[in-house]
């Protein structure tokens, strides 16, 4: 007993008024939904997203611009890597938060990205919005992306060890209950 297209076509032909009314009702609801979404106040321009970073020399975690590709060099001369914080509960509960992984990029990848941004700036003399995020993904994340579970041992994101870090993170909430969610500075 499967779907019979001929029977369906016959039913639609016999009930064309009901089908037309149903279609118009669905269209009205869809248009009303879109209108309400467009009338809702838009989020204020937040500017540059902030991110967590980890100073490998001092062990300090701090907040800095999310636009920077790690490692960054701090004012104190120390290297710092981006750290991704997660929870299986609520981000507002500091005791439930944990480090998912640390992220860094190779010097070659960072140079390619910076060169691409400079090239894009030169192509946009009007100062229009820069496609920084697009360049970041066009290059391919695995091209120079490095991951670490402890900010000491680093692995290419597409190496077996890098993949294992992501797999472990994906299973982090299986025993704790809840669902895995990222925590961002000032957003939660």
């Amino acid at each position: 007993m499967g779907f019979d297209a001929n029977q369906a076509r016959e039913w639609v032909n016999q009930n064309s008024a009901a089908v037309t009314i149903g279609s118009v009702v669905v269209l009205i609801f869809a248009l009303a939904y879109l209108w309400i979404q467009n009338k809702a106040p838009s989020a204020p321009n937040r500017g540059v997203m902030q991110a967590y970073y980890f100073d490998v020399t001092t062990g300090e975690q701090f907040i800095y611009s999310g636009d920077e590709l790690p490692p960054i060099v701090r004012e104190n001369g120390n290297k710092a890597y981006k750290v991704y914080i997660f929870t299986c509960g609520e981000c507002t509960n500091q005791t439930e938060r944990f480090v998912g992984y640390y992220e860094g990029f190779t010097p070659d990848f960072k140079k390619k990205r910076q060169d691409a941004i400079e090239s894009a700036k030169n192509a946009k003399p009007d100062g229009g919005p820069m496609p920084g995020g697009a360049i970041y993904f066009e290059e391919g994340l695995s091209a120079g992306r490095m991951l670490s579970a402890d900010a000491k041992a680093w692995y290419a994101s597409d190496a077996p060890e890098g993949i294992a870090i992501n797999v472990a993170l994906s299973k982090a909430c299986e025993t704790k209950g809840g669902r895995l969610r990222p925590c961002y500075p000032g957003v939660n």
Side-chain angles (χ1 to χ4, degrees), residues 11-185:
W11 183 88
V12 168
N13 287 338
Q14 291 173 355
N15 298 292
S16 62
V19 171
T20 302
I21 291 170
S23 298
V24 169
V25 169
V26 168
L27 179 63
I28 289 171
F29 277 114
L31 291 173
Y33 174 78
L34 291 173
W35 182 77
I36 290 169
Q37 291 298 314
N38 287 329
K39 293 305 261 178
S42 58
N45 185 359
R46 296 181 190 210
V48 175
M49 183 81 165
Q50 300 289 298
Y52 294 109
Y53 285 82
F54 180 76
D55 184 317
V56 293
T57 303
T58 65
E60 174 191 6
Q61 185 175 301
F62 61 98
I63 297 172
Y64 194 71
S65 169
D67 276 359
E68 299 296 322
L69 280 183
I72 61 170
V73 178
R74 298 185 72 189
E75 304 82 37
N76 62 11
N78 296 342
K79 278 188 179 180
Y81 293 87
K82 198 174 275 189
V83 57
Y84 288 84
I85 306 295
F86 293 86
T87 184
C88 297
E90 296 297 323
C91 289
T92 53
N93 185 344
Q94 297 281 333
T95 62
E96 292 182 353
R97 294 164 51 148
F98 59 92
V99 172
Y101 59 91
Y102 299 88
E103 178 185 60
F105 290 88
T106 63
D108 288 345
F109 181 87
K110 287 179 68 168
K111 178 162 180 10
K112 282 182 189 176
R113 181 172 186 263
Q114 192 57 46
D115 289 348
I117 289 171
E118 287 303 316
S119 176
K121 282 181 184 176
N122 293 335
K124 289 185 171 260
D126 64 346
M130 296 304 303
I135 292 167
Y136 179 72
F137 287 107
E138 282 175 15
E139 289 288 331
L141 285 177
S142 63
R145 185 174 185 231
M146 305 296 288
L147 298 180
S148 175
D150 59 7
K152 295 175 186 167
W154 292 90
Y155 307 100
S157 64
D158 58 354
E161 299 87 350
I163 293 169
I165 290 170
N166 280 316
V167 169
L169 176 62
S170 71
K171 295 179 179 181
C173 294
E174 287 180 359
T175 59
K176 298 177 185 177
R179 76 174 218 277
L180 185 68
R181 72 176 61 180
C183 300
Y184 302 104

